Every structure is written in C-alpha cells, then in structure tokens.
Amino acid sequence: MQIIEWDDFTRVEMRVGTIIKAEVNSKAKKPAYVMEVDLGEQGIKRSSAQITVNYTPEQLIGKRVLCVCNFEVKRIAGIKSEVLITGAPDEKGAIVLAEFNLPLPNGALLA
C-alpha cells in the first residue's frame, strides 16, 4: 500500500449524488449504463459505468452513491462522463456501488 499525505486526500472531491436516470449505453463495447446523477448545487452530471452484472437500470434509480467530481471530463463510449461513481469488485469481479443507506443531501462533501 502506498502512503499518501492528507493533502492528497483532500484534493479528491467526493460528493453524495442520487442516480435519477439510467439506461443501457448502446455504444459501449462492453455492457455499460449511462446514468445521470443529481449532485445538488453542483448540478446533474453524467457518468458511464460497467455495472450491468449486479444492477438493472430500474434498480439504479434513487440510489445515493459516492462520486468523484473533480476528474477531467472523459469521453467514454460516445458520452461525456463528468463524474466517477465509485464502487468495489465483488468476489467475481463485478462492481458493487459505494452507496449510502441513510438520507443525505445531494452534493454533500465526503468528510
């Protein structure tokens, strides 16, 4: 494990967002969804993610997830991905989203 300084961590802007729209990204080479995430005052941002193994688009709506918001916009399979929705691989390597189970305001900054 590489040790980082506290300042390195504080430069990563991680915020709570609610997925408000999810659909199959038909342009992706590997199965993926395009999602819109409500980040409160930061606005609604788009993201593309290969999370089709554990989730359907309908299951994603309303999930409160942890997003990295200060990466440069990246073009992924035909869309501009504006945030990274975080998660971790399960025992088979399929991504499980990092989500919150108690109410939080959209845009809340991870502390």
Side-chain angles (χ1 to χ4, degrees):
M1 170 177 37
Q2 181 182 6
I3 303 297
I4 64 171
E5 299 294 324
W6 183 255
D7 287 343
D8 294 329
F9 173 73
T10 61
R11 289 193 345 244
V12 182
E13 186 177 313
M14 291 183 276
R15 294 187 178 270
V16 176
T18 300
I19 298 173
I20 59 171
K21 184 177 180 182
E23 59 191 19
V24 173
N25 185 345
S26 60
K27 294 182 180 180
K29 291 179 183 174
K30 293 182 181 178
Y33 297 133
V34 177
M35 293 164 285
E36 291 185 1
V37 182
D38 183 347
L39 290 157
E41 291 183 10
Q42 286 69 42
I44 296 172
K45 306 289 183 184
R46 294 180 79 190
S47 185
S48 179
Q50 295 174 355
I51 56 173
T52 60
V53 172
N54 286 322
Y55 304 95
T56 65
E58 297 78 21
Q59 291 172 323
L60 292 167
I61 305 302
K63 289 199 178 292
R64 288 181 301 276
V65 293
L66 182 62
C67 300
V68 176
C69 297
N70 61 336
F71 283 136
E72 282 191 41
V73 173
K74 187 174 183 177
R75 198 134 191 85
I76 300 174
I79 71 134
K80 287 189 334 187
S81 187
E82 301 168 300
V83 296
L84 171 70
I85 300 173
T86 63
D90 64 15
E91 66 280 349
K92 295 180 182 177
I95 299 299
V96 174
L97 296 176
E99 39 180 322
F100 300 93
N101 57 4
L102 295 177
L104 288 167
N106 289 331
L109 191 60
L110 186 71

